[in-house]
């Protein structure tokens, strides 16, 4: 396999706030459930270190849950609270930094068991503070920033989307009011970490229950949606799509990350089946694997400035050295994403 486009654009430094990255490659957050009782052990530290050793500029951890009873029903998803879990993350951070990498935790609440309309305002305030405490702990542990998970139908996104937010108080109603919960989370986290500590927000138009969903149907609506989030303190938008090459709106080739950057001027991360010849959902829903795809179009878009950073998920999950192999032109050494390869995941 060959790739005619120079890959050097992927290996240029990038800075935001007090954070400088050595490459434009970001490891996507991917839930693995390898942290018994919420505590990440040495195996988790080794997992992330291997990617840092192989030219990944920024690692976004798997989702880490906040201290709230509804935050997760999965016992092996890591916590970002409690002494044992925090000590585990301190070791992860140390290993990644020793390898020359940068790492931020993705902080999440997996969602309401019923509807977001079931939460009282007092409970919402408690959840906001739980996010802020985890953000403060992330900074204390030496993480390089934080990412808030506002995508894919999890709690923040449940407030964003009209189909899952029936509230009639200040947390529901029109698009602007549906951002109120996220705004309060972002503001509380910003207060907890200070002005120069990067806050990334991951959001998506699509939902796991509806791939065709759109929070914003037009660029004008998207701009309206993003404005309060920026004012609250978001530094970078991680724009989750299923296929990075698909246009977000008719009449333009820009993808979601491209539109967000154009409308706001903020740095953006693109994501969606990078390096794979099949979009990711079919890998599981249909039991398919994925071959290796070229990245010429990705690099051309990066060089045009459509987005600033490129998040890679399954390709990096299956192959810790993916970025190094791309940099060195070792295309024939790239590992395809298959069920068999997943069995030997490391």
């Amino acid at each position: 396999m060959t790739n005619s486009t120079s890959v050097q654009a992927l290996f240029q430094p990038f800075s935001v706030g007090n954070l400088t990255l050595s490459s434009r490659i970001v490891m996507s957050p991917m839930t693995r459930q390898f942290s018994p009782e919420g505590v990440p052990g040495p195996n988790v530290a080794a997992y992330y270190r291997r990617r840092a050793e192989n030219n990944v500029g920024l690692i976004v951890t798997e989702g880490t849950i906040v201290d709230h009873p509804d935050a997760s029903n999965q016992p092996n998803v890591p916590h970002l609270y409690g002494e044992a879990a925090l000590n585990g993350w301190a070791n992860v951070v140390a290993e990644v930094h020793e390898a020359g990498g940068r790492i931020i935790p993705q902080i999440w609440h997996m969602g309401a068991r019923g509807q977001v309309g079931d939460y009282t305002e007092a409970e919402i305030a408690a959840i906001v503070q739980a996010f802020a405490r985890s953000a403060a702990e992330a900074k204390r542990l030496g993480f390089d920033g934080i990412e808030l998970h506002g995508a894919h139908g999890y709690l923040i996104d449940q407030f964003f989307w009209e189909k899952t937010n029936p509230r009639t108080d200040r947390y529901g109603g029109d698009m602007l009011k549906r951002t109120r919960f996220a705004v309060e989370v972002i503001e509380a986290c910003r207060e907890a970490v200070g002005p120069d500590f990067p806050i990334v927000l991951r959001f998506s138009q699509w939902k796991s229950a509806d791939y065709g969903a759109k929070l914003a149907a037009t660029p004008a609506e998207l701009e309206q949606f993003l404005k309060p989030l920026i004012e609250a303190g978001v530094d970078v938008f991680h724009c989750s799509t299923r296929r990075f090459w698909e246009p977000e709106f008719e009449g333009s080739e820009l993808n979601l990350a491209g539109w967000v950057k154009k409308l706001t001027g903020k740095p953006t991360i693109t994501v969606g089946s990078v390096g794979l010849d099949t979009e990711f959902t079919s890998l599981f829903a249909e039991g398919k694997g994925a071959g290796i795809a070229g990245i010429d179009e990705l690099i051309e878009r990066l060089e045009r400035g459509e987005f600033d950073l490129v998040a890679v998920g399954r390709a990096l999950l299956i192959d810790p050295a993916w970025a190094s192999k791309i940099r060195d032109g070792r295309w024939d050494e790239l590992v395809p994403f298959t069920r068999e390869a997943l069995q030997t995941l490391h």
Side-chain angles (χ1 to χ4, degrees), residues 104-222:
I104 65 176
Q106 185 187 74
I107 305 175
W108 71 347
H109 184 302
M110 294 180 70
R113 293 181 185 178
Q115 288 189 325
V116 297
D118 298 337
Y119 287 128
T120 65
E121 291 203 13
E123 190 165 16
I124 288 173
I127 296 170
V128 168
Q129 288 309 307
F131 272 95
R133 288 194 302 274
S134 286
E137 293 288 13
K139 184 174 183 181
R140 181 182 67 81
L141 294 174
F143 278 106
D144 299 292
I146 60 169
E147 174 170 289
L148 299 172
H149 194 345
H152 310 158
Y154 296 110
L155 185 63
I156 292 174
D157 192 35
Q158 288 175 343
F159 277 88
F160 282 154
W161 197 27
E162 60 184 346
K163 289 189 179 180
T164 48
N165 184 352
R167 299 182 74 101
T168 57
D169 61 3
R170 64 198 181 100
Y171 293 101
D174 62 24
M175 176 183 285
L176 203 60
K177 289 180 177 177
R178 295 197 307 272
T179 67
R180 168 50 48 190
F181 174 68
V183 163
E184 291 187 3
V185 169
I186 296 160
E187 287 176 342
C189 289
R190 175 57 71 203
E191 185 175 351
V193 300
D196 298 322
F197 196 71
I199 295 178
V200 181
L201 176 68
R202 192 178 218 213
F203 82 100
S204 65
Q205 298 258 52
W206 68 272
K207 317 299 163 200
S208 26
D210 184 353
Y211 292 141
K214 290 211 182 273
L215 293 173
T218 65
E221 287 185 2
L222 182 60

Side-chain angles (χ1 to χ4, degrees), residues 46 55 68 91 93-94 127 137 164 171 176 185 197 222 234 237-238 242 246 254 328 337 340-341:
N55 293 285
H68 181 261
N91 183 48
V93 170
I127 296 170
E137 293 288 13
T164 48
Y171 293 101
L176 203 60
V185 169
F197 196 71
L222 182 60
V234 172
F237 286 97
H238 189 172
R242 295 169 67 206
E246 290 190 341
L254 291 177
D328 298 339
F337 188 98
E340 292 73 25

Side-chain angles (χ1 to χ4, degrees), residues 299-331:
I299 293 172
E300 288 165 4
R301 287 171 177 249
L302 179 63
E303 288 179 331
R304 288 200 302 265
E306 183 173 340
F307 38 75
D308 302 281
L309 299 164
V310 175
V312 181
R314 312 297 156 176
L316 260 179
L317 179 69
I318 210 71
D319 189 350
W322 184 88
S324 288
K325 292 175 182 178
I326 292 291
R327 184 198 62 182
D328 298 339
R330 293 183 283 146
W331 300 97

Side-chain angles (χ1 to χ4, degrees), residues 59-120:
I59 291 167
V60 184
T61 74
E62 61 214 277
T64 67
I65 64 170
V66 300
D67 188 9
H68 181 261
D70 279 354
S72 174
N73 59 3
Q74 299 175 349
N76 298 323
V77 169
H79 299 169
L80 197 53
Y81 65 90
E83 184 176 6
L86 295 174
N87 287 342
W89 283 119
N91 183 48
V92 173
V93 170
E95 290 283 342
V96 168
H97 284 170
E98 188 177 294
R102 296 291 177 262
I103 183 168
I104 65 176
Q106 185 187 74
I107 305 175
W108 71 347
H109 184 302
M110 294 180 70
R113 293 181 185 178
Q115 288 189 325
V116 297
D118 298 337
Y119 287 128
T120 65

